């Protein structure tokens, strides 16, 4: 998400009620917990019994665990499902700085706290966008950490497309500053600033509103975003870093699959061909029809 004005329509303000299936999904029992990692509380939401295959869901940049509320409750009949907040986002604590090693420790700590590690049942890491870079780091450092890795809509553009994309984004990234969040006086005012990044249409405004509401916290005088603005400003990865992501994913020693939106701006048909060239035929690549980058909303 972002607080920019890239999209004119404030989808999060649309009053459309959610469908009955989603209301029922939110009624699925859940446990909200946390575990301390290097002095920072890492929050998670747990659903389903632990005597089943485990899924650990990790969100995208400046997002949070509630982005999976449209999906996670539907999986509990035959899975134990945990969605977590990385530090600096959602309901987790903030840090002075965010080292990749701490991200890995956070994922492994939540897996251990929720009974995934050492279980007789397999556990799988399912990551969206930015969370997928954490997954790649994790399986490079700990190849046997989990039994499988499902990567959802990470930016895997072929080198020539990636260079053009990064050149277009370079100025916007260089202008990021760690400015304190502006306090908005009420929820509607705050939600009017909520945007998806990259921008996309969405036929489910109730889903955007739900995620937007859980992106805010109440403070004296109104509401602010939950994410740490210092983390947003510090995340400046150069084109070479992005160019290495595809080969790094291809080199992982773990069962892998890729899921992406068929209409995603960040994982295009060219991306699928590029990943297939890198990985060969053994890695499933699944396109979700009529879906964009923010798969869970679609």
């Amino acid at each position: 998400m972002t607080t920019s004005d890239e999209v004119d329509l404030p989808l999060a303000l649309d009053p459309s009620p959610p469908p009955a299936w989603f209301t029922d999904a939110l009624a699925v029992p859940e446990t909200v917990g946390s575990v301390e990692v290097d002095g920072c509380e890492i929050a998670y939401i747990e659903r389903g019994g632990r005597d089943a295959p485990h899924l650990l869901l990790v969100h995208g940049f400046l997002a949070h665990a509630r982005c999976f509320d449209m999906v996670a409750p539907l999986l509990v009949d035959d899975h134990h499902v945990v969605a977590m907040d990385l530090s600096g986002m959602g309901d987790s604590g903030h840090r002075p700085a965010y080292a990749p090693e701490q991200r890995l420790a956070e994922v492994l700590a939540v897996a251990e706290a929720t009974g995934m590690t050492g279980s007789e049942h397999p556990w799988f890491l399912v990551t969206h966008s930015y969370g997928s870079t954490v997954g790649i780091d994790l399986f490079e450092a700990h190849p046997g950490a989990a039994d499988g890795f499902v990567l959802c809509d990470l930016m895997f553009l072929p080198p020539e497309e990636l260079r053009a994309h990064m050149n277009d984004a370079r100025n916007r990234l260089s202008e990021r500053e760690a400015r304190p969040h502006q306090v908005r006086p009420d929820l509607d005012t705050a939600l009017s600033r909520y945007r998806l990044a990259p921008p996309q249409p969405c036929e489910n405004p109730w889903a955007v509103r739900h995620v937007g509401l859980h992106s805010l916290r109440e403070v004296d005088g109104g509401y602010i975003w939950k994410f740490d603005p210092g983390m947003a400003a510090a995340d400046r990865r150069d084109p070479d870093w992005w160019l290495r992501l595809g080969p790094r994913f291809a080199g992982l020693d773990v069962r892998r699959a890729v899921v992406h939106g068929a209409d995603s701006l960040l994982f295009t048909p060219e991306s699928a061909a590029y990943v297939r060239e890198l990985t060969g035929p053994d890695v499933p690549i699944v396109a979700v029809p009529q879906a964009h980058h923010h798969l869970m909303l679609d």
Side-chain angles (χ1 to χ4, degrees):
M1 61 81 63
T2 179
T3 56
S4 74
D5 290 320
E6 294 173 335
V7 179
D8 293 332
L9 178 63
L11 285 169
L13 287 180
D14 192 307
S16 301
W21 70 260
F22 181 62
T23 302
D24 293 342
L26 291 183
V28 170
E30 63 180 39
T31 299
V32 176
S34 67
V35 60
E36 185 176 312
V37 180
D38 293 337
C40 184
E41 288 295 316
I42 304 302
Y44 60 83
I45 305 162
E46 185 173 7
R47 299 178 176 94
R50 294 186 178 185
D51 189 21
H54 312 281
L55 302 176
L56 180 53
L57 313 180
V58 184
H59 57 79
F61 193 55
L62 307 187
H64 49 77
R66 292 289 177 188
C67 293
F68 294 103
D69 279 358
M70 283 64 68
V71 177
L74 308 182
L75 303 172
V76 298
D77 284 348
D78 48 12
H79 288 86
H80 170 227
V81 187
V82 176
M84 65 175 289
D85 289 323
L86 295 168
S87 59
M89 295 174 272
D91 293 323
S92 287
H94 296 182
R95 300 183 185 277
Y98 299 89
E101 296 79 11
Q102 289 173 319
R103 296 280 191 228
L104 309 193
E106 291 166 15
V107 171
L108 293 175
V110 171
E112 181 177 5
T114 57
M116 295 187 181
T117 56
S119 169
E120 64 180 23
H121 300 284
W123 78 274
F124 302 89
L125 187 66
V126 182
T127 60
H128 179 242
S129 195
Y130 171 86
S132 299
T133 69
V134 178
I136 291 173
D137 287 344
L138 176 68
F139 289 109
E140 281 184 333
H142 308 283
D147 297 281
F149 179 26
V150 181
L151 178 152
C152 300
D153 220 280
L154 178 62
M155 186 169 70
F156 270 153
L157 298 175
E160 60 277 7
E161 285 191 41
L162 179 62
R163 290 188 182 96
H165 179 88
M166 294 301 292
N167 287 336
D168 181 59
R170 191 186 304 272
N171 291 335
R172 288 183 283 112
L173 290 172
S174 66
E175 291 170 359
R176 274 184 181 163
E177 298 178 7
R179 293 177 293 182
H181 292 308
Q182 184 175 341
V183 179
R184 308 293 177 181
D186 54 67
L187 273 177
D188 278 351
T189 302
L191 283 171
S192 72
R193 305 290 297 181
Y194 186 77
R195 300 292 186 270
L196 301 175
Q200 69 172 63
C202 184
E203 295 183 4
N204 304 317
W206 52 269
V208 179
R209 181 178 179 85
H210 177 82
V211 174
L213 284 170
H214 285 283
S215 301
L216 293 160
R217 66 182 176 92
E218 191 170 6
V219 295
D220 289 343
Y223 294 85
I224 64 172
W225 305 115
K226 289 181 177 179
F227 71 83
D228 180 357
M231 185 201 67
D235 191 78
R236 298 175 180 173
R237 307 184 186 196
D238 61 36
D240 288 339
W241 185 91
W242 285 102
L243 285 168
R244 291 193 296 271
L245 268 187
R248 289 175 60 201
F249 175 70
L252 297 179
D253 184 18
V254 64
R255 292 174 63 197
R256 290 153 294 163
V258 175
V259 178
H260 68 95
D263 299 324
S264 174
L265 294 176
L266 300 186
F267 196 102
T268 64
E270 291 75 21
S271 300
Y274 173 58
V275 173
R276 173 64 65 237
E277 179 183 344
L278 291 173
T279 64
D282 296 332
V283 175
I285 301 175
V286 180
V288 180
Q290 298 178 304
H292 300 262
H293 174 69
H294 300 276
L295 297 168
M296 297 81 76
L297 301 180
D298 292 324

